[in-house]
Amino acid sequence: EEECLRCASASSPTCCSNVVKSYTGNAGDIITMKELSELWQLLLDTSLLPNLSSEACPANVSPATVRSAALDCLAAVHPAAFNQLDAGTKEVCLNVVKQLCADQDQIVKCSAIRTLGIFLTHPELRKAPAFIPCCLDIVCHTLEEQVLAVRAKGSWTFGNLCEALMRNLDDGLPVEHAYVLRLLAQSMKAASDHDRVKTGAVRAVGCLLRCLSRTDCGCAPVASLVHSAMKLLTKIVASTSITAKVRWNSCYAIRTALSNAALPIGSAEWMEPMYAALLGVAQKHKNFKVRIGAASALLAPQDRAAFGDSTSFQWICNSILNALESCGYLSDFGDLRYKDTLQKQLCIVVLRLISLADNDDGEALFCLLQPKLRFVREVITNTSGK
């Protein structure tokens, strides 16, 4: 307790962060959420907010360093503890963070953008009617910044904002149609930026496609936007010049999009190129984590129609079986730890496809599976207990 009080009176926010972490390492065993909230209230009132709203700092530390560290501390507040803070304190925190997203110092600006991105993951904040609308312009503006580091942080926060919209929709909360379309166009533009910006932008594309309704998809301009978005994600997944992290995020984005039953997957022009990209990655990508991401995307469609006609369905099944066989060929020993996970994921895809097969698929699917049945059974047996 004495250490906390010394920290509260000190001017170093890093000290606050270290003390709080010492309490929250096993929060359930040490202090209650109410006590944790009271601790944060003390630290915010006596140290963090004064350092965020003024230039006060030790003589040997720059104001930017202090404010950046204070923002990092603010980002570390547990969502439930933040929710229990005084209403006035919460309002001040949010206002200061939003203001610092436009700070002249790039370090402070990046920290503020990151903190805002974390706030967007707080359930109570994202559900507040005014919170997302007041963040929208701020976050979109960060994607237009000249400094790459700022755009990269902005892209991550942008992805969180779009995910917040998607989660609100899943929770039955209203989501403005105009927001979704505006953000979708913005995210596609950002997905053509540097790889560090692409990572968050493609995640945003998937979340926004997940938010579209059947009425939206039936509108010609929106349908054209969906086509462009899926084409963009497919291009990124298939590209060999883009980093594995971005390609994994694109697979994740496609999975999120395909979980939207309103998208006309089976009849869309982008269906075949999309599956070709995912299947190519699942079979040949040197990074097994990216392969797992591609296989996971194939689990998203919930009905048989999403896989096209019998010819397309047979091609997809055959490609997945080939991907399962290719798991034994490692180009990097580090992928060995992901081998079982990849095999298990591909087995789940095989079983899902079999469960979706209709009468027209039966004979062709039997001929495809028969010569590989023993191999598939062995893989399923070997991975089922792991």
Side-chain angles (χ1 to χ4, degrees):
E1 182 178 357
E2 291 179 359
E3 186 179 9
C4 288
L5 293 175
R6 286 198 303 272
C7 176
S9 62
S11 59
S12 172
T14 304
C15 178
C16 298
S17 179
N18 291 337
V19 172
V20 172
K21 285 179 180 178
S22 72
Y23 275 82
T24 58
N26 297 290
D29 299 329
I30 300 176
I31 58 176
T32 65
M33 191 57 69
K34 183 176 185 297
E35 291 169 331
L36 180 61
S37 180
E38 290 172 352
L39 170 64
W40 273 115
Q41 185 75 55
L42 177 65
L43 297 179
L44 286 164
D45 290 344
T46 59
S47 180
L48 295 181
L49 289 178
N51 277 302
L52 281 171
S53 56
S54 74
E55 296 288 320
C57 66
N60 62 337
V61 182
S62 74
T65 300
V66 171
R67 286 185 294 158
S68 177
L71 286 164
D72 290 342
C73 288
L74 191 53
V77 182
H78 190 282
F82 187 88
N83 194 46
Q84 293 183 29
L85 295 174
D86 293 345
T89 301
K90 287 191 286 187
E91 185 176 358
V92 171
C93 289
L94 295 175
N95 288 337
V96 168
V97 169
K98 286 184 284 187
Q99 289 170 8
L100 292 179
C101 285
D103 196 82
Q104 294 300 312
D105 188 278
Q106 304 304 327
I107 296 175
V108 174
K109 183 182 292 188
C110 285
S111 294
I113 293 168
R114 174 182 173 273
T115 301
L116 186 60
I118 291 175
F119 281 170
L120 283 162
T121 67
H122 289 204
E124 296 302 321
L125 284 178
R126 70 170 169 81
K127 292 177 182 178
F131 182 61
I132 289 181
C134 77
C135 293
L136 197 145
D137 287 336
I138 296 171
V139 177
C140 287
H141 180 72
T142 64
L143 298 176
E144 306 293 336
E145 291 279 352
Q146 294 296 314
V147 179
L148 176 58
V150 177
R151 296 204 308 278
K153 289 292 184 185
S155 172
W156 180 78
T157 297
F158 185 79
N160 286 3
L161 184 145
C162 296
E163 190 163 334
L165 284 174
M166 181 183 72
R167 293 189 183 281
N168 281 352
L169 188 67
D170 290 342
D171 290 341
L173 299 175
V175 173
E176 285 286 340
H177 172 83
Y179 287 167
V180 174
L181 298 183
R182 173 190 168 186
L183 293 173
L184 183 55
Q186 185 91 25
S187 63
M188 290 168 61
K189 179 181 178 182
S192 300
D193 201 338
H194 190 278
D195 278 7
R196 289 176 61 189
V197 180
K198 279 185 173 74
T199 304
V202 294
R203 180 163 60 94
V205 172
C207 292
L208 295 166
L209 290 174
R210 170 69 178 76
C211 292
L212 297 175
S213 66
R214 292 188 186 278
T215 303
D216 292 330
C217 296
C219 174
V222 177
S224 176
L225 196 59
V226 171
H227 176 85
S228 298
M230 293 304 298
K231 186 177 178 181
L232 175 65
L233 292 177
T234 298
K235 180 181 178 181
I236 293 173
V237 169
S239 175
T240 57
S241 62
I242 292 176
T243 62
K245 183 177 180 180
V246 176
R247 294 176 76 179
W248 183 91
N249 273 274
S250 296
C251 291
Y252 177 86
I254 290 177
R255 177 180 180 175
T256 303
L258 295 184
S259 66
N260 184 359
L263 294 183
I265 304 169
S267 59
E269 292 181 19
W270 46 262
M271 181 203 73
E272 188 171 331
M274 176 199 68
Y275 282 134
L278 291 173
L279 292 167
V281 168
Q283 293 176 82
K284 299 177 181 179
H285 199 283
K286 63 180 181 180
N287 186 307
F288 274 28
K289 289 179 69 176
V290 180
R291 288 199 197 188
I292 292 168
S296 298
L298 294 167
L299 288 171
Q302 298 299 308
D303 55 44
R304 167 65 185 81
F307 294 95
D309 58 22
S310 294
T311 302
S312 294
F313 188 75
Q314 184 178 352
W315 161 60
I316 292 170
C317 291
N318 186 53
S319 298
I320 288 297
L321 290 171
N322 290 337
L324 193 56
E325 288 181 310
S326 69
C327 288
Y329 304 101
L330 296 173
S331 60
D332 184 347
F333 186 75
D335 282 328
L336 185 60
R337 57 181 169 163
Y338 300 113
K339 179 182 175 182
D340 288 341
T341 303
L342 176 58
Q343 286 183 323
K344 183 181 291 187
Q345 195 77 338
L346 290 169
C347 286
I348 294 172
V349 176
V350 170
L351 295 175
R352 165 66 71 80
L353 292 172
I354 292 173
S355 71
L356 292 177
D358 57 27
N359 293 333
D360 293 336
D361 303 317
E363 184 176 350
L365 188 59
F366 176 78
C367 293
L368 192 64
L369 284 170
Q370 189 178 30
K372 301 181 181 181
L373 199 56
R374 178 178 295 179
F375 167 72
V376 174
R377 185 186 294 116
E378 288 177 357
V379 174
I380 292 175
T381 302
N382 291 336
T383 59
S384 59
K386 297 181 180 179

